[in-house]
Amino acid sequence: ANWSNNMRSAYKGKGKTKMTEDRIHRLEAIGFKWILPSSTDRSKNSFDERIEDLKRFKEKHGHCDVSQSSKEYTSLGGWSNNMRSGYKGKGKMKLTEDRIHRLE
């Protein structure tokens, strides 16, 4: 992330690194993003993606009780646990009414 941030700063004409047209073209050719989505947008996308993961899990297993100890679903299990804690008003995750509705 640090190198990427340095490239973005150089692109804006800031920082120690000089950004050349060639470097700009080469970075753009591999899909480098000069502007990142806001943390709110990333959080929304991440939540939407996890909801879809949970729906697929339910289709496959018939329930939404994802175990954190499952090797295949460790990450989804952790996310589900965080959502349950947020629903109960515990932990770092604060759930909006919209997210609670979507999880129900």
Side-chain angles (χ1 to χ4, degrees):
N2 194 24
W3 179 84
S4 297
N5 290 338
N6 288 342
M7 294 301 103
R8 288 184 186 96
S9 291
Y11 182 75
K12 295 174 187 174
K14 301 175 181 175
K16 299 173 187 174
T17 306
K18 300 286 184 207
M19 184 59 64
T20 64
E21 287 296 318
D22 178 57
R23 184 175 282 174
I24 291 169
H25 292 299
R26 290 172 51 202
L27 288 167
E28 288 174 346
I30 61 169
F32 188 84
K33 303 289 184 210
W34 297 110
I35 300 171
L36 296 176
S38 70
S39 61
T40 303
D41 291 342
R42 285 193 304 271
S43 175
K44 180 182 183 302
N45 290 340
S46 179
F47 184 83
D48 292 342
E49 290 166 3
R50 285 304 191 168
I51 287 289
E52 292 306 313
D53 292 342
L54 190 58
K55 286 178 182 177
R56 285 189 290 277
F57 180 90
K58 185 176 182 180
E59 286 175 16
K60 184 175 182 179
H61 300 281
H63 61 81
C64 292
D65 189 17
V66 186
S67 172
Q68 292 183 68
S69 61
S70 164
K71 288 183 181 182
E72 185 178 359
Y73 298 105
T74 303
S75 179
L76 183 60
W79 180 83
S80 296
N81 189 55
N82 288 339
M83 294 303 106
R84 286 186 199 98
S85 294
Y87 180 78
K88 295 173 187 174
K90 300 176 181 177
K92 297 177 191 175
M93 176 59 68
K94 303 294 183 218
L95 292 178
T96 63
E97 290 297 321
D98 176 61
R99 287 186 174 186
I100 290 171
H101 176 72
R102 292 175 61 200
L103 286 165
E104 293 175 333

